[in-house]
Amino acid sequence: MSRTLVLVRHGQSEWNLKNLFTGWKDPDLTEKGVEEARAAGRSLKAAGLTFDLAFTSELSRAQRTLALMLDELGAPDLPTIRNVALNERDYGDLSGLNKDDARKKWGEEQVHVWRRSYDVPPPGGESLKDTGARVWPYYIHDIQPKVLGGGTVLVVAHGNSLRALVMALDGLSGEEIVGQEIATGVPILYRLNPDSSVAEKIVMEG
């Protein structure tokens, strides 16, 4: 039985390139982001992976990344479930602001706390803990059973929604996960044991 879960952060978006807080805003991919998505699909194909099901967010940068990957995998019609639970962290009042401008407005230290603390949300937005509070139940009830049933499942989402998943899968603390970066377009492969513990983890870089 496969019991394989692959996590991929969407390719670079236009707002990533412009150094803007994105959150639930919906910019498209850059040319680099398109190539990152295609490269992720090619790397999974080269590894011999075929998927039974995909999950993604309600945001177009993740959906387009998934579509580009599936084209490379030769599986454009793979059954796909979209859900808001996998959306990026909501940055609230920071959304759409340049990160340097935000530092000028609120101060370097305050913006650092909002970006890198585990449980302090920006005004009107979510902390990483808040993001996890919607990601974890969705994973446990909707994604994990498909994996433990023997499936090979692909999840294409966002830096913070995937950090919440990695936190749970790797057994990291809130302090440990805030230092973890999820690179755009780099597949992270988990093979699960029948009890849902992680048997193997591979970051498919290069």
Side-chain angles (χ1 to χ4, degrees):
M1 299 181 76
S2 174
R3 290 195 296 268
T4 299
L5 173 68
V6 176
L7 310 179
V8 182
R9 181 184 175 190
H10 64 80
Q12 183 192 64
S13 75
E14 293 168 349
W15 283 21
N16 292 147
L17 181 62
K18 293 177 181 177
N19 200 33
L20 306 180
F21 286 100
T22 309
W24 285 34
K25 302 295 186 181
D26 211 16
D28 200 357
L29 300 180
T30 62
E31 288 185 16
K32 178 182 177 181
V34 168
E35 179 49 38
E36 286 177 335
R38 292 195 182 281
R42 289 193 295 269
S43 68
L44 293 172
K45 185 175 183 178
L49 287 165
T50 57
F51 292 90
D52 302 300
L53 181 65
F55 291 86
T56 192
S57 75
E58 291 284 359
L59 298 171
S60 60
R61 60 191 183 275
Q63 294 174 12
R64 189 176 180 205
T65 297
L66 173 60
L68 291 164
M69 291 176 62
L70 295 181
D71 281 344
E72 294 292 335
L73 284 160
D77 298 321
L78 184 74
T80 298
I81 299 171
R82 300 174 179 177
N83 196 285
V84 69
L86 294 174
N87 275 22
E88 175 60 297
R89 172 184 172 189
D90 184 353
Y91 277 103
D93 293 353
L94 300 183
S95 299
L97 293 180
N98 182 281
K99 292 172 184 175
D100 291 332
D101 291 340
R103 293 184 187 101
K104 291 174 186 175
K105 182 174 181 178
W106 284 289
E108 177 87 31
E109 184 176 343
Q110 181 63 71
V111 172
H112 181 76
V113 168
W114 287 332
R115 290 190 67 199
R116 291 299 176 221
S117 67
Y118 174 61
D119 56 4
V120 180
E126 295 177 308
S127 65
L128 180 57
K129 183 179 180 180
D130 296 329
T131 306
R134 58 177 162 82
V135 172
W136 297 322
Y138 185 69
Y139 171 74
I140 290 168
H141 293 295
D142 292 78
I143 300 174
Q144 182 177 271
K146 304 296 186 185
V147 181
L148 295 181
T152 302
V153 175
L154 175 60
V155 177
V156 179
H158 305 267
N160 284 292
S161 54
L162 293 180
R163 282 164 79 201
L165 276 181
V166 167
M167 178 181 177
L169 288 162
D170 291 1
L172 301 177
S173 68
E175 291 70 29
E176 290 170 326
I177 193 57
V178 295
Q180 298 281 320
E181 292 295 335
I182 307 292
T184 53
V186 176
I188 304 170
L189 183 149
Y190 288 92
R191 298 198 193 278
L192 302 187
N193 291 311
D195 64 358
S196 80
S197 63
V198 173
E200 181 182 25
K201 177 183 179 181
I202 302 171
V203 180
M204 301 175 67
E205 297 185 78

